[in-house]
Amino acid sequence: MNNIQSSKPTGNAPTVSYSVGKLDKLVSQQLSELLSELDVSLPQFTMLSNLHLHGEMANSKLASRSFISPQASNQIIKTMEEKGWISKSDDPNHGRILLIGLTPNGQAVYEQCNVKAMAFESKMLAGLPAENIMMLKATVQRLITNLKHD
């Protein structure tokens, strides 16, 4: 049985897609402003977060997990390397691949950024009961799954 309801907006209510897009824009703008206080861009923080969570990885995988193209990531990675936040090392399993990893300085920058990001998330979720937050996370994950698999 199909649970899909009409995708037409009811009355003046926006579609889910529009609301998600608006939320994404607000999150990006406001989180970028907070991170700029630490001289860190949102793409840099996203990369630092991925390296913190998943460890060393190749540029292409880091770019993909950070929602940017490998080409666009090259400049971001160069800047982060110049700042001493990341280091590169040879992949022991593949001679032509360099692995990117966090330096201790990069870990410290990530932790400073994460404090701001968690405060931002608390502000965004303020007033929602814990069960609603759990349901929201599950719902968003389901939407992602639905779009990843035809």
Side-chain angles (χ1 to χ4, degrees):
M1 185 159 180
N2 197 341
N3 290 352
I4 299 175
Q5 297 178 357
S6 171
S7 61
K8 293 180 183 178
T10 55
N12 291 330
T15 63
V16 172
S17 299
Y18 179 83
S19 295
V20 168
K22 188 172 182 176
L23 177 61
D24 177 59
K25 185 171 182 165
L26 285 168
V27 168
S28 294
Q29 287 174 337
Q30 292 182 23
L31 193 51
S32 290
E33 287 173 18
L34 288 172
L35 294 171
S36 71
E37 296 170 8
L38 299 172
D39 197 28
V40 177
S41 69
L42 185 54
Q44 288 171 334
F45 175 58
T46 304
M47 287 186 159
L48 292 170
S49 297
N50 277 296
L51 292 169
H52 171 79
L53 291 171
H54 304 289
E56 288 184 322
M57 66 184 82
N59 177 27
S60 60
K61 190 171 192 175
L62 179 58
S64 175
R65 286 185 175 206
S66 301
F67 316 117
I68 57 176
S69 72
Q71 296 79 13
S73 73
N74 287 331
Q75 185 58 47
I76 297 167
I77 288 169
K78 181 180 176 190
T79 301
M80 292 196 310
E81 189 174 24
E82 289 169 356
K83 290 184 175 191
W85 299 348
I86 60 168
S87 61
K88 295 178 182 175
S89 61
D90 291 330
D91 184 336
N93 300 317
H94 196 288
R96 293 175 46 195
I97 294 178
L98 290 175
L99 296 176
I100 299 165
L102 280 179
T103 64
N105 187 28
Q107 180 65 33
V109 171
Y110 161 76
E111 288 170 6
Q112 291 175 329
C113 292
N114 196 49
V115 168
K116 288 193 175 283
M118 291 299 95
F120 172 79
E121 185 145 324
S122 292
K123 174 187 170 189
M124 180 177 65
L125 298 172
L128 293 176
E131 58 272 8
N132 288 29
I133 294 170
M134 287 175 38
M135 184 177 288
L136 175 62
K137 288 179 182 181
T139 301
V140 169
Q141 189 56 53
R142 181 57 183 199
L143 296 174
I144 292 167
T145 299
N146 287 348
L147 292 175
K148 279 186 174 180
H149 303 96
D150 292 310

